[in-house]
Amino acid sequence: MDFSLLVETFQQMGQTSSRIALTDYLVALFAKTPHDLIDKVTYLIQGKLYPDYEGIELGLADKMVMRAIASSSGKSLTEVERLYQKTGDLGDTAGEAMRSKGQSSLYPEPMTVERVYSTFDKVARTSGAGSQEQKLKLVSSLLNDATSEESRYIIKFVMGQLRLGIADYTVLDALALAFTGDKSNRKVLENAYNVSSDLGTAARLLAANGLESVRSMQVTLFKPLRPMLAERVITAEEALERMEGRAGVEFKLDGERVQIHKGRQGVELFSRRLERITGHYPDLVDSVRMIKSDVILEGEVVAVNAQTGEYLPFQELMHRRRKHGVEEAMENYPVVINLFDILYLDGQSKMHLTYLERRKLLKKVVDSAKNKEKVRLIEQTIAEKPEEIERFMTVAIEEGCEGVMIKQLSSVYRAGAREYAWVKLKREYRSDLADTIDLVIIGALHGRGRRTGKYGALLLAAYDPKSDMFQSATKVGTGFTDEHLEQFYNNLEKHVIPHRHARVETGMEMDVWFEPAVVIEVIASEITLSPSHPAAKNSVREGFGLALRFPKFTGKVRDDKNAEDATASEELVSMYRKQLKVAGKSEDAGN
Ligand code: ATP
């Protein structure tokens, strides 16, 4: 398959500001892709070579890429550096540099997707002494035969900056349309994706063997599943109403969610966004190794005070996110794992079992680890009355929890779903309305005065999964320290795009636009009806969206969340309604 087909599609997608067109371009591309290449093309579209959990990176330093561009374009390194300063992007630099290049290699090898993919694969697998030089040679071998546009995308990919800004959902829609002619089959694909996190394999199965083979994709050891998520409630009564009157109530600890895969080959840990984080917690790996069976477990890893054993807040886990000095951090910031679910045991999925059945199995597994200090079953009780939940909640808060999770006793584990089978009841909901909200940065205004040269305010959006759009909900300018401003300015630079992103909906005019990528946590005093922000528009009142009033950055960048994991527009609606209920107002009273 010609690589140029891919490049043309990427170009078209980069230029459109229509969300529907993005899907259409992908459908057309899939239609032209040979079946045995579907998985590779799917990964390339996602800007990767393999599913994320494989943790495979190309690992090329900027300097090396510049050298590759220089050698293939015939320009000097200084010239390439100058171009880079001008464009601020190595892909664009490659495009520019190669544009003025003369004749390509004397006997160019054809640029096929197969060739590009396998060269990238070699780059990723080359390691050890002298590997940077070898990687450079491999990249140059491609650039030597590539057109300037192809070079642009090759380098963007190599640098991990090929962001087409499309959600996985768009790819799922396009696959369903391309191979079954019916978008509603996306559900089947989505389910397979939820239990395997491997869109490429699902796509290949679909293309080669049809929908039934995708339907039979099962949870597998060492392939992380997308986690089940919780809705919010504000009172214990509401929680019980949602739960058929009786529910499991668990501590909601403030740590990091980890998915543990333990088999004969060893142990792997995955984060909430399914990245491999085994290296952050070698002590946890050792503790769970003692478990007798092959398992997939979920739990919250929490830092504890080395002296008192008390739970510490989430921030303390940051000491573990480093490449060096993990040993030292392990000693000063010990962690414990509080397990709350089991999804797989000795070759079989357990997701179809009820909450109570899974909890029983989980208890056996935890006991088999014989390490009560470090490997614990999360505190739990069964409640039938709101007072019982309230009482348990006070204990939880006293122990340093954010609140409680309330779970339906008869519920199965639904990978990737946010439903009322699990609800969270947090302390903050009860005293005032201000729960934290996670929003995506989609635009910015230039700063003035003390903020000159930085961003003065950021435009934030909620995510609407139904339309797959990021809908603006507020502009935030407070809560930032000088350090934050500096960091945001630098970190957002790579996400700057020349126009509003095709998946962004807003009535606001901005100085700078970003592709939706970075999620931050904000707190606001209130949610109000808004004529200018389209979040959840028409849900409460025709012609109005919802906006946050007096938002403030909490200081937390949610780098454990993808843009699509941001607070959903619908959640704003339910928060808005709850706020009215607490204030004793009717919806018509508006704001
Ligand atoms: P939040 O921003 O409130 O932490 P979230 O959007 O990250 O929420 P939710 O599913 O809404 O994710 O909230 C559940 C999160 O709470 C889980 O991802 C997990 O990290 C954490 N947690 C703590 N204790 C539990 C528990 N007992 N059961 C499930 N999740 C728990």
Side-chain angles (χ1 to χ4, degrees):
M1 176 181 184
D2 281 347
F3 183 58
S4 60
L5 272 176
L6 216 61
V7 169
E8 276 161 27
T9 307
F10 292 172
Q11 269 178 311
Q12 288 162 330
M13 291 174 72
Q15 279 156 10
T16 183
S17 46
S18 143
R19 149 88 175 85
I20 314 262
L22 290 174
T23 316
D24 293 344
Y25 287 129
L26 286 180
V27 173
L29 178 67
F30 285 132
K32 287 184 224 148
T33 306
H35 286 182
D36 59 346
L37 269 186
I38 288 283
D39 48 352
K40 296 193 167 95
V41 167
T42 305
Y43 297 133
L44 291 174
I45 288 170
Q46 293 183 294
K48 33 183 114 147
L49 290 174
Y50 294 96
D52 284 340
Y53 61 80
E54 298 274 3
I56 293 179
E57 283 171 15
L58 282 91
L60 254 170
D62 285 13
K63 196 83 194 168
M64 286 293 164
V65 173
M66 282 195 254
R67 278 181 49 197
I69 300 172
S71 97
S72 301
S73 66
K75 291 205 175 341
S76 71
L77 191 58
T78 326
E79 279 176 290
V80 173
E81 278 168 351
R82 212 173 292 137
L83 263 179
Y84 180 35
Q85 269 167 15
K86 199 176 94 191
T87 59
D89 176 291
L90 278 173
D92 295 341
T93 304
E96 288 265 317
M98 305 300 270
R99 189 161 302 140
S100 47
K101 175 184 96 159
Q103 166 79 30
S104 58
S105 338
L106 218 44
Y107 303 105
E109 251 185 80
M111 287 298 280
T112 59
V113 173
E114 291 87 334
R115 175 183 172 197
V116 174
Y117 186 93
S118 81
T119 311
F120 284 164
D121 198 29
K122 279 187 207 136
V123 172
R125 288 174 195 281
T126 307
S127 60
S131 61
Q132 284 288 320
E133 286 296 331
Q134 257 174 300
K135 286 173 193 259
L136 180 150
K137 281 204 190 105
L138 287 163
V139 174
S140 298
S141 74
L142 288 180
L143 295 185
N144 286 342
D145 296 342
T147 64
S148 90
E149 266 314 290
E150 287 167 351
S151 306
R152 201 166 146 242
Y153 282 96
I154 287 169
I155 296 301
K156 276 187 189 288
F157 192 94
V158 167
M159 296 311 297
Q161 286 165 355
L162 180 87
R163 283 177 302 262
L164 301 172
I166 43 167
D168 296 336
Y169 295 117
T170 312
V171 186
L172 291 171
D173 276 348
L175 285 166
L177 275 169
F179 296 106
T180 73
D182 181 355
K183 198 157 110 180
S184 67
N185 286 326
R186 160 181 137 178
K187 278 272 153 233
V188 180
L189 277 163
E190 194 176 329
N191 199 36
Y193 186 38
N194 283 339
V195 298
S196 70
S197 309
D198 183 352
L199 204 48
T201 302
R204 183 166 38 81
L205 280 178
L206 176 70
N209 306 329
L211 208 54
E212 280 318 303
S213 64
V214 179
R215 228 186 279 273
S216 61
M217 271 176 84
Q218 282 289 343
V219 49
T220 321
L221 209 48
F222 301 114
K223 285 190 171 209
L225 300 87
R226 313 231 304 161
M228 177 157 171
L229 302 170
E231 287 283 357
R232 326 165 184 241
V233 290
I234 45 164
T235 61
E237 285 83 2
E238 185 192 354
L240 280 176
E241 272 164 30
R242 301 263 182 195
M243 299 283 154
E244 306 151 348
R246 205 161 162 256
V249 188
E250 299 177 356
F251 274 15
K252 184 177 195 307
L253 284 154
D254 185 18
E256 180 172 19
R257 186 174 189 156
V258 219
Q259 200 178 103
I260 302 169
H261 289 233
K262 190 237 147 213
R264 243 146 275 159
Q265 308 93 303
V267 177
E268 292 286 1
L269 308 178
F270 299 99
S271 68
R272 184 188 188 287
R273 64 194 285 187
L274 311 181
E275 283 161 347
R276 205 182 284 252
I277 49 164
T278 317
H280 295 181
Y281 303 110
D283 40 353
L284 174 54
V285 170
D286 281 343
S287 318
V288 298
R289 218 192 291 280
M290 307 310 290
I291 291 173
K292 289 279 173 293
S293 324
D294 290 357
V295 281
I296 301 179
L297 306 174
E298 266 202 308
E300 191 84 356
V301 57
V302 193
V304 290
N305 181 313
Q307 313 303 325
T308 63
E310 280 168 341
Y311 290 128
L312 297 174
F314 165 80
Q315 284 79 352
E316 300 296 337
L317 285 177
M318 291 299 146
H319 301 287
R320 296 299 193 97
R321 301 237 177 122
R322 42 161 106 160
K323 288 225 166 74
H324 306 290
V326 172
E327 288 289 325
E328 204 188 318
M330 261 163 44
E331 196 154 308
N332 295 333
Y333 303 93
V335 297
V336 299
I337 178 80
N338 295 272
L339 295 164
F340 55 77
D341 224 316
I342 177 163
L343 313 174
Y344 172 98
L345 176 68
D346 292 331
Q348 284 175 340
S349 167
K350 297 294 167 195
M351 292 165 60
H352 59 285
L353 297 183
T354 64
Y355 167 78
L356 278 180
E357 291 164 336
R358 297 202 309 282
R359 172 97 188 168
K360 213 188 264 170
L361 273 187
L362 180 62
K363 180 165 186 322
K364 274 197 199 142
V365 168
V366 172
D367 288 344
S368 80
K370 294 205 168 43
N371 187 351
K372 292 215 159 49
E373 272 292 296
K374 298 258 174 203
V375 183
R376 307 176 183 169
L377 189 63
I378 206 149
E379 286 290 331
Q380 183 245 33
T381 188
I382 304 281
E384 289 181 359
K385 297 193 189 109
E387 306 83 76
E388 289 164 355
I389 297 184
E390 307 261 344
R391 203 171 326 122
F392 194 70
M393 174 102 159
T394 8
V395 181
I397 305 275
E398 203 169 24
E399 295 266 337
C401 295
E402 289 180 299
V404 292
M405 297 287 298
I406 304 167
K407 300 182 178 178
Q408 198 168 7
L409 300 180
S410 60
S411 64
V412 300
Y413 191 94
R414 294 241 302 121
R418 193 189 286 280
E419 292 168 347
Y420 280 95
W422 287 12
V423 299
K424 49 187 174 185
L425 180 61
K426 286 202 217 170
R427 177 173 46 170
E428 304 97 302
Y429 300 153
R430 301 150 51 82
S431 49
D432 57 46
L433 297 166
D435 183 28
T436 58
I437 299 174
D438 299 324
L439 299 176
V440 192
I441 304 176
I442 52 169
L445 294 176
H446 291 311
R448 298 195 194 140
R450 266 189 57 215
R451 294 193 180 175
T452 306
K454 305 274 172 310
Y455 298 128
L458 300 174
L459 181 65
L460 305 180
Y463 178 58
D464 176 39
K466 268 190 247 126
S467 60
D468 185 29
M469 294 292 279
F470 294 92
Q471 304 174 319
S472 80
T474 197
K475 245 181 343 202
V476 63
T478 49
F480 300 96
T481 61
D482 288 348
E483 210 177 315
H484 289 139
L485 290 172
E486 184 85 33
Q487 277 171 7
F488 275 116
Y489 194 77
N490 296 333
N491 296 345
L492 284 168
E493 196 181 333
K494 56 178 179 288
H495 299 293
V496 173
I497 44 175
H499 51 78
R500 181 181 58 73
H501 193 274
R503 289 168 65 213
V504 160
E505 211 181 331
T506 184
M508 296 284 159
E509 284 302 322
M510 288 284 124
D511 297 330
V512 187
W513 294 104
F514 305 109
E515 56 190 345
V518 180
V519 180
I520 62 170
E521 188 183 80
V522 295
I523 192 139
S525 66
E526 211 184 340
I527 297 177
T528 60
L529 286 172
S530 163
S532 44
H533 288 290
K537 68 171 183 289
N538 303 333
S539 303
V540 176
R541 187 178 297 175
E542 208 48 40
F544 287 85
L546 292 178
L548 308 191
R549 193 140 166 225
F550 305 130
K552 190 174 164 200
F553 175 48
T554 64
K556 205 166 175 183
V557 177
R558 294 292 310 247
D559 52 15
D560 60 334
K561 287 196 169 184
N562 293 315
E564 291 80 16
D565 297 325
T567 297
S569 303
E570 285 252 340
E571 280 183 77
L572 293 184
V573 177
S574 62
M575 290 172 88
Y576 175 80
R577 297 216 159 106
K578 279 165 194 164
Q579 158 192 303
L580 291 184
K581 206 148 106 193
V582 171
K585 289 187 200 159
S586 81
E587 212 156 272
D588 291 340
N591 285 278

